[in-house]
């Protein structure tokens, strides 16, 4: 069986950042990605990022993707595409499908950076053609130049909902309405404002009742919800739309971390079941790290820092990084992450991190008892 | 503070009354000046990094809101294209009975100079006709163009977008 210093699963912002960081310390790094193209979600993100210069603020996501790929190339990272990891044994033996072969490779450390999948919400008519994830709409428009539809309803007003709605307007769609069951827009006000000033109405405290149409979506009916999230009769509104985009949250991809036997915790603030991790992404399985959305839903800017933290930790574990320099580098990365997680929008993550910390303490107490 | 931003996606004038990034009426009359319609604490400071006149400060805590030093601001618009939230506008109320409003614009094609468009307020409601004064797109703007439109003076703090008339 071949051996590698570090195997990274997923070539998105977290995986590529982990690879670049570790390769800088001299590790032999391979990144597997099941897709034909690297970059994860970055290449469909045509908007400018937030944060500060250190977080590549005001750069558009797809350019950041290009930069990461170039950096990875310069650092000597091997990126293998069309490579689907289907197994993780003892945390460090990676089973990967490449073409018509299955290979097993042993690693000294592994970073799971498999990202997340979009949540769906079922309603009568939700299987009609025309009901798509917001991410799918982004892929169609921004990667393939295909307009998903002409008249669109966006379900969900978190950052994904408001950002993608704006991109659909840029693609030439008419966004008929933005709805969310919550009473308040979850995304950044500035993102919502870009959509609102084009004349798109927002309906907060509303849910989708059903999609109607003969063989495809032709209209959608929404209604207000009461404080128990139940539709209020008599408040129905119907919109003539051919596309319903769902932007109702993401769920971390945890198949591999569960298979590897990581201690898992259920933290709704992070998107549900996630592996319990230390601050550097180390799971309960020695040598196995997790970074980016696979360890809890956040955003690409923080995924890049979390990737770097995991890459650094993998390098330190194998004795590649001088402990004092690595210590201050780790400190620098943590501070950078804290700057992104400040303010009211970071509250969700900070609270979940706190719960994660408590869960780890409890776990440790149980093991010594 | 109204709930309008959280429930409808747009700010009301009262929300901007005490925002640190809004210039005084007096300053607006003197000539072009930036308005930062950015009132939530989000981790973001490209406006500060784009400005070479020290006219906007976020500070070391990047979730703090941008604070305008209107005396230093020349209305050059570097912050307009730098803002990832497209929340910065340039207003010039020194033009007599018209105001010039410059806004970030990421749609193609860009409007032509002299074109008559419909000015929209923050909610997307039509205010009335406006005239395009200029469309600017430099490489440094990274695809966030700046469109300047002339509107009646009384709309200077309302007009924030436009739609083109049906051809």
């Amino acid at each position: 069986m071949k051996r590698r210093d570090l195997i990274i699963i997923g070539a998105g912002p977290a995986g590529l950042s982990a690879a670049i960081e570790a390769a800088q310390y001299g590790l032999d790094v391979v990144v597997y990605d099941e897709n034909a193209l690297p970059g994860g979600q970055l290449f469909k993100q045509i908007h400018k990022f937030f944060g500060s210069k250190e977080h590549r603020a005001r750069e558009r996501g797809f350019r950041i993707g290009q930069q990461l790929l170039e950096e990875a190339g310069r650092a000597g990272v091997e990126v293998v595409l069309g490579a689907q990891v289907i197994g993780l044994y003892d945390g460090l033996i990676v089973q990967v499908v490449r073409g018509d072969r299955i290979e097993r490779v042993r690693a000294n450390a592994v970073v799971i950076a498999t990202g997340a999948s979009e949540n769906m919400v079922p309603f009568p008519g939700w299987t009609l053609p025309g009901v798509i994830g917001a991410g799918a709409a982004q892929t169609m428009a921004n990667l393939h130049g295909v307009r998903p539809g002409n008249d669109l309803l966006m379900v969900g007003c978190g950052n994904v909902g408001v950002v993608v709605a704006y991109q659909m307007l840029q693609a030439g769609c008419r966004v008929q309405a933005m709805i969310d069951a919550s009473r308040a827009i979850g995304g950044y006000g500035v993102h919502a404002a870009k959509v609102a000033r084009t004349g798109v109405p927002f309906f907060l405290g509303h849910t989708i009742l059903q999609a109607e149409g003969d063989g495809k979506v032709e209209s959608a009916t929404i209604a207000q919800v009461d404080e128990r999230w139940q539709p209020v009769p008599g408040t129905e509104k119907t919109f003539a739309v051919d596309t319903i985009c769902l932007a109702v949250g993401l769920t971390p991809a945890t198949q591999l971390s569960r298979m590897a036997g990581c201690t898992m915790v259920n933290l709704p603030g992070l998107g549900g079941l996630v592996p319990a991790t230390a601050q550097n992404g180390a799971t309960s399985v020695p040598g196995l790290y997790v970074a980016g959305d696979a360890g809890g839903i956040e955003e690409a800017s923080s995924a890049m820092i979390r990737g770097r933290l995991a890459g650094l930790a993998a390098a330190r574990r194998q004795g590649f990084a001088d402990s004092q320099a690595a210590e201050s580098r780790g400190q620098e990365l943590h501070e950078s992450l804290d700057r992104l997680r400040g303010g009211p929008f970071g509250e969700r993550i900070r609270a979940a991190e706190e719960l994660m910390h408590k869960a780890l303490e409890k776990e440790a107490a149980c093991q010594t008892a | 503070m109204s709930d309008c931003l959280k429930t409808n996606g747009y700010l009301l004038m009262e929300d901007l009354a005490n925002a640190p990034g809004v210039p005084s009426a007096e300053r607006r009359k003197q000539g072009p000046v930036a308005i930062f319609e950015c009132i939530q604490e989000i981790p973001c400071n490209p406006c500060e990094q784009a400005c070479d006149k020290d006219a906007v400060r976020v500070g070391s805590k990047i979730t703090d809101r941008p604070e305008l030093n209107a005396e230093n601001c020349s209305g050059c618009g570097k912050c307009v294209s730098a803002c990832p939230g497209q929340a910065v506008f340039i207003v010039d109320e020194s033009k007599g009975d018209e105001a010039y409003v410059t806004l970030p614009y990421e749609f193609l094609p860009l409007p032509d100079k002299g074109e008559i468009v419909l000015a929209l307020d923050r909610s997307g409601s039509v205010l009335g006709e406006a005239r395009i004064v200029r469309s600017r797109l430099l490489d440094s703007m990274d695809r966030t163009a700046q469109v300047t439109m002339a509107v009646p003076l009384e709309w200077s703090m309302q007009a924030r977008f436009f739609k083109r008339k049906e051809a």
Side-chain angles (χ1 to χ4, degrees):
Chain A
M1 200 185 312
K2 275 196 188 146
R3 280 178 175 265
R4 306 296 295 248
D5 290 336
L6 176 62
I7 294 176
I8 292 169
I9 306 160
L16 288 175
S17 300
I20 292 162
E21 186 75 19
Q24 281 170 350
Y25 295 99
L27 274 76
D28 156 51
V29 184
V30 61
V31 184
Y32 292 124
D33 194 298
E34 64 185 4
N35 297 295
L37 294 169
Q41 306 305 299
L42 283 171
F43 284 97
K44 61 192 198 194
Q45 297 186 336
I46 59 172
H47 55 282
K48 291 179 175 175
F49 276 31
F50 285 71
S52 189
K53 211 178 187 118
E54 59 177 331
H55 311 116
R56 308 185 197 228
R58 74 183 276 200
E59 290 277 0
R60 297 188 185 276
F62 69 92
R63 287 214 177 82
I64 296 173
Q66 287 162 345
Q67 290 166 7
L68 288 176
L69 280 177
E70 284 161 18
E71 280 177 53
R74 281 199 301 274
V77 171
E78 185 190 357
V79 179
V80 184
L81 299 171
Q84 191 184 26
V85 173
I86 56 169
L88 199 48
Y89 306 102
D90 300 332
L92 299 175
I93 296 173
V94 174
Q95 183 158 295
V96 57
V97 181
R98 296 180 63 175
D100 55 1
R101 295 169 44 83
I102 292 180
E103 290 176 12
R104 281 186 169 203
V105 190
R106 175 180 283 282
N108 297 329
V110 170
V111 177
I112 297 174
T114 46
S117 58
E118 290 190 277
N119 297 344
M120 292 291 123
V121 46
F123 46 87
W126 79 298
T127 57
L128 284 170
V131 181
I132 56 176
Q138 241 189 341
T139 303
M140 288 164 81
N142 302 345
L143 284 180
H144 304 293
V146 173
R147 192 158 62 203
N150 295 318
D151 293 279
L152 196 142
L153 172 73
M154 180 64 73
V155 180
C157 296
N159 266 336
V160 173
V162 287
V163 167
V164 174
Y166 183 75
Q167 292 176 2
M168 293 304 111
L169 293 166
Q170 289 176 304
C173 302
R174 290 176 293 267
V175 178
Q176 295 295 345
M178 306 282 299
I179 72 166
D180 199 306
S182 161
R183 304 276 158 195
I185 293 168
Y188 290 166
V190 289
H191 278 318
K194 291 189 317 193
V195 175
R197 65 176 171 253
T198 70
V200 176
F202 281 75
F203 296 92
L204 277 288
H206 280 71
T207 190
I208 181 160
L209 287 185
Q210 60 180 43
E212 302 97 4
D214 181 14
K216 60 181 190 298
V217 172
E218 290 167 357
S219 63
T221 301
I222 68 168
Q224 258 180 49
V225 292
D226 62 20
E227 56 283 356
R228 291 178 304 112
W229 310 103
Q230 297 307 305
V232 179
T235 60
E236 298 84 0
K237 297 174 197 66
T238 298
F239 296 93
V241 292
D242 55 24
T243 307
I244 298 169
C245 276
L246 303 178
V248 290
L250 300 161
T251 296
T254 56
Q255 297 91 331
L256 291 171
S257 47
R258 282 183 285 135
M259 185 177 191
C262 296
T263 301
M264 306 296 288
V265 276
N266 185 22
L267 295 171
L270 293 182
L273 200 66
V274 290
T277 51
Q279 284 211 309
N280 60 7
T283 67
S284 62
V285 176
L288 179 61
Y289 302 84
V290 65
D293 279 356
I297 305 301
E298 215 170 337
E299 46 206 319
S301 320
S302 31
M304 291 188 277
I305 305 174
R306 290 158 76 197
R308 287 193 174 267
L309 281 164
L312 175 67
R316 287 183 79 172
R317 186 170 186 273
Q318 297 178 52
F320 278 80
D322 172 276
S323 65
Q324 203 158 16
E327 189 69 44
S328 64
R329 172 66 176 153
Q331 192 65 33
E332 186 189 336
L333 290 167
H334 280 299
E335 284 167 8
S336 181
L337 191 55
D338 286 344
R339 281 191 282 274
L340 274 182
R341 290 173 169 178
F345 286 91
E347 179 57 37
R348 169 182 67 89
I349 293 291
R350 296 198 302 273
E353 287 278 308
E354 187 64 28
L355 288 169
M356 173 81 83
H357 194 69
K358 284 203 174 102
L360 284 172
E361 279 179 354
K362 202 166 151 186
E363 182 77 17
C366 289
Q367 281 174 350
T368 52
Chain B
M1 280 292 295
S2 79
D3 286 335
C4 198
L5 186 64
K6 279 290 188 187
T7 54
N8 297 308
Y10 56 89
L11 290 165
L12 300 176
M13 282 308 293
E14 65 189 77
D15 301 321
L16 290 170
N18 298 316
V22 179
S24 66
E26 193 182 340
R27 172 63 186 84
R28 298 199 304 265
K29 285 191 191 73
Q30 292 169 3
V33 64
I35 297 182
F36 295 84
E37 302 198 356
C38 173
I39 66 161
Q40 290 177 327
E41 294 177 312
I42 54 180
C44 194
N45 69 359
C47 54
E48 178 183 55
Q49 294 177 324
C51 183
D52 50 20
K53 299 190 178 60
D54 199 22
V56 56
R57 280 248 169 105
V58 174
S60 59
K61 192 163 158 247
I62 63 168
T63 49
D64 281 348
R65 300 181 300 172
E67 189 178 346
L68 172 73
N69 178 341
E71 285 312 300
N72 291 356
C73 178
S74 67
C76 75
K78 283 184 180 149
C79 52
V80 173
S81 292
C83 173
Q86 296 179 39
V88 191
F89 304 86
I90 307 286
V91 168
D92 180 357
E93 296 180 10
S94 68
K95 305 271 178 199
D97 56 4
E98 280 190 328
Y100 282 10
V101 176
T102 300
L103 53 101
Y105 194 69
E106 286 195 354
F107 295 86
L108 291 173
L110 294 177
D112 299 319
K113 182 179 175 174
E115 187 179 332
I116 303 299
V117 296
L118 295 171
L120 306 178
D121 69 9
R122 294 181 185 86
S123 74
S125 302
V126 176
L127 291 162
E129 286 188 346
R131 185 181 81 257
I132 300 296
V133 176
R134 189 175 63 203
S135 287
R136 262 200 322 158
L137 180 55
L138 307 173
D139 285 349
S140 61
M141 296 176 177
D142 189 15
R143 319 293 285 165
T144 308
Q146 294 181 20
V147 174
T148 303
M149 60 182 180
V151 298
L153 189 58
E154 60 270 25
W155 298 348
S156 76
M157 289 300 282
Q158 271 90 46
R160 290 297 176 263
F161 205 64
F162 64 88
K163 76 175 170 194
R164 308 179 80 163
K165 296 188 153 185
E166 300 302 326

